[in-house]
Amino acid sequence: MKHHPISLLLVLLILLGSCQESNTTALDNFKKELVGSWESAELENEGASFSHKELLLTDKEWHLKVFTYSDPKGHDPLFKLEFTGVYEITAASQLVEGSWEGTYQIDKKHLTLLTRDAETINTLGFASCGLVYGEKMDVSQGCSFIESISECSEDYDLLTVKNGRLYAGKRTLNMCKPSGRPKTHGRPFKQMTPKESAKISVPSESASYKNVAIELLAENLQFLEGPIWEEQNKRLIFSEVNGNTLWQWKADMGISEFLKPSYYAGGNTFDGSGNIISCQGGARRLVKIDTTGNITMLADTFEGKKFNSPNDAVVKSDGTIWFTDPDYGLLVVHGENAPEFREIQGNYIFVHDPSEHTTTLVCNTLGKPNGLAFSKDESILYVGNSEEGDRRIMAFDVLPSNTLGKVKLVTTIKSNTWGVDGLKVGQDNNLYAACGDGVNIFSPSGELINVIATDFEVTNLTFGTNNETLFITGHEALYRINIKKE
């Protein structure tokens, strides 16, 4: 059978048009998949530092934030680098099946310095860049290892979305030219859960809240912890761990210095007489700060060995002080050399009796015990374990002998970057937990009741007057939320 040349030409044109239409549809669908907010699936090792990335993609514009830390837990921030511009997806990759070629145009670069350590700033090469701690600065013209836009105005990348993960290209030395476009994928991004500041989602029908807008009280600080509310003076005391300072906040005055140096204090609490019990992680001790400001050392050793770094504490009605002793303070002071300074090899929970001047080990089974809180009747001690890969909340029976009995799992915490950290029990006996995605609220049985979702990682929390206010600390700022029930 013979085919007419014109018929063959029509068939070819139809097939060609079909292929072009198919490619266009595939590209359009891929662009739709890209739009949204993405973040690193885990803290990424960059050699001498660690980073967490957040990428926002609209249909045309991109905004990348890179948070860089000196430690693998993200406790010691160094700087935040931001890139903005427009992007386009040009064609399917001919080298990597299922991937697309993308090109990012770089319009602006901004850097926020998040360390005050002069030696670190010099090592990074930032000393001559005119940077100011905590201020977002334009570095589009370059700064140390950060190239100017004139040297590299475009970034040629490789992109695909697979199993709910966004994969960009594995970074090469020069992606400023098409020839530098990666040929393999790098670490994945996960889709960020859409969050509004302090938006409360309700997994089950329970207490409702009103006026949940988040309020910024103080910012540009270095890793906040240990907020405690003093009703008599209507003030909040809180720790700036990396700033080596205890601060106080009052509604009519804002923040002012309360104690410096604080010896890198983390957790704080009050005893029955209104004294502050402070975990001075840098000095590896538990201290009392009385109402006149005098400091008394309560405990710094167990069986002749120095603590790692007391982290968080809670006082029982009988005056005993229960505290956790992970190695976070050692890491803040000594960095990667911290293991050399350990005298107690495990991370334990202790009870100190000020009246008897004794310290007792009550738990040695958790990897990284962190925040802790008593139930209202003090029959249960809740403890958060913040060890990476094993983040969970445990409930221990408290025995009359001030030891711990049976233990049960309250919940596991799904966070790749932070928590579980501070814990508090509300008037309703529900448990409020500082987690990587905000504040999680659990019933005594472990049911997730509410989530106060934030766009920052919450480190600790405490209640204000009549439990109507929740103060929360983050890595860089202090916030307040009205949680008064309707």
Coordinates of all heavy atoms in Angstrom, one line a residue, residues 1-20:
M1 N 0.9 -1.2 0.0 CA 0.0 0.0 0.0 C 0.9 1.2 0.0 O 1.8 1.4 0.8 CB -0.9 0.0 1.2 CG -1.8 1.2 1.3 SD -2.9 1.1 2.8 CE -3.8 2.6 2.6
K2 N 0.6 2.2 -0.9 CA 1.4 3.4 -1.0 C 0.7 4.5 -0.2 O -0.5 4.6 -0.1 CB 1.5 3.8 -2.4 CG 2.3 2.9 -3.3 CD 2.5 3.4 -4.7 CE 3.3 2.5 -5.6 NZ 3.5 3.0 -6.9
H3 N 1.6 5.4 0.4 CA 1.2 6.5 1.2 C 1.4 7.8 0.4 O 2.5 8.0 -0.1 CB 1.9 6.6 2.5 CG 1.6 5.5 3.4 ND1 0.4 5.4 4.2 CD2 2.3 4.3 3.7 CE1 0.4 4.2 4.9 NE2 1.5 3.6 4.6
H4 N 0.5 8.6 0.4 CA 0.6 9.9 -0.3 C 1.6 10.8 0.5 O 1.4 10.9 1.7 CB -0.7 10.6 -0.5 CG -0.7 11.7 -1.5 ND1 -0.2 12.9 -1.2 CD2 -1.1 11.8 -2.8 CE1 -0.3 13.7 -2.2 NE2 -0.8 13.0 -3.2
P5 N 2.5 11.4 -0.1 CA 3.5 12.3 0.6 C 2.8 13.3 1.5 O 3.2 13.6 2.6 CB 4.3 13.0 -0.5 CG 4.2 12.0 -1.6 CD 2.8 11.4 -1.6
I6 N 1.7 13.9 1.0 CA 1.0 14.9 1.8 C 0.4 14.3 3.1 O 0.5 14.9 4.2 CB -0.1 15.6 1.0 CG1 0.5 16.4 -0.2 CG2 -0.9 16.5 1.8 CD1 -0.5 17.0 -1.1
S7 N -0.1 13.1 3.0 CA -0.7 12.4 4.1 C 0.4 12.1 5.2 O 0.2 12.3 6.4 CB -1.3 11.0 3.7 OG -2.4 11.3 2.8
L8 N 1.6 11.6 4.7 CA 2.7 11.4 5.6 C 3.1 12.7 6.3 O 3.4 12.7 7.5 CB 3.9 10.8 4.9 CG 3.8 9.4 4.4 CD1 4.9 9.0 3.5 CD2 3.7 8.4 5.6
L9 N 3.1 13.8 5.6 CA 3.5 15.1 6.2 C 2.5 15.5 7.3 O 2.9 16.0 8.3 CB 3.6 16.1 5.1 CG 4.0 17.5 5.5 CD1 5.4 17.5 6.2 CD2 4.0 18.5 4.3
L10 N 1.2 15.3 7.0 CA 0.2 15.6 8.0 C 0.4 14.8 9.3 O 0.2 15.3 10.4 CB -1.2 15.4 7.4 CG -1.6 16.4 6.3 CD1 -2.9 16.0 5.7 CD2 -1.8 17.8 7.0
V11 N 0.6 13.5 9.1 CA 0.8 12.6 10.2 C 2.0 13.1 11.1 O 1.9 13.2 12.3 CB 1.0 11.2 9.8 CG1 1.5 10.3 11.0 CG2 -0.3 10.6 9.2
L12 N 3.1 13.4 10.4 CA 4.3 13.9 11.1 C 4.0 15.2 11.9 O 4.4 15.4 13.0 CB 5.5 14.1 10.1 CG 6.1 12.8 9.5 CD1 7.1 13.1 8.5 CD2 6.7 12.0 10.7
L13 N 3.3 16.1 11.2 CA 3.0 17.4 11.9 C 2.1 17.1 13.1 O 2.3 17.8 14.1 CB 2.3 18.3 10.9 CG 3.2 18.9 9.8 CD1 2.4 19.7 8.8 CD2 4.3 19.8 10.4
I14 N 1.1 16.2 13.0 CA 0.2 15.9 14.1 C 1.0 15.3 15.3 O 0.8 15.7 16.4 CB -0.9 15.0 13.6 CG1 -1.8 15.7 12.7 CG2 -1.7 14.4 14.8 CD1 -2.8 14.8 12.0
L15 N 1.9 14.4 14.9 CA 2.7 13.7 16.0 C 3.6 14.8 16.6 O 3.8 14.8 17.9 CB 3.6 12.6 15.4 CG 2.8 11.3 15.0 CD1 3.7 10.4 14.3 CD2 2.2 10.7 16.2
L16 N 4.3 15.6 15.8 CA 5.1 16.7 16.4 C 4.4 17.6 17.3 O 4.8 17.9 18.4 CB 5.8 17.4 15.2 CG 6.8 18.6 15.7 CD1 7.9 18.0 16.5 CD2 7.3 19.3 14.4
G17 N 3.2 18.0 16.9 CA 2.4 18.9 17.7 C 2.0 18.2 19.0 O 1.9 18.8 20.0
S18 N 1.7 16.9 18.9 CA 1.3 16.1 20.1 C 2.4 16.1 21.1 O 2.2 16.2 22.3 CB 0.9 14.7 19.7 OG 0.6 13.9 20.8
C19 N 3.7 15.9 20.6 CA 4.8 15.8 21.5 C 5.1 17.2 22.1 O 5.3 17.2 23.3 CB 6.1 15.4 20.7 SG 6.0 13.7 20.2
Q20 N 4.9 18.2 21.3 CA 5.1 19.6 21.9 C 4.1 19.9 22.9 O 4.4 20.4 24.0 CB 5.1 20.6 20.8 CG 6.3 20.5 19.8 CD 6.2 21.5 18.7 OE1 5.1 21.9 18.3 NE2 7.3 21.9 18.1

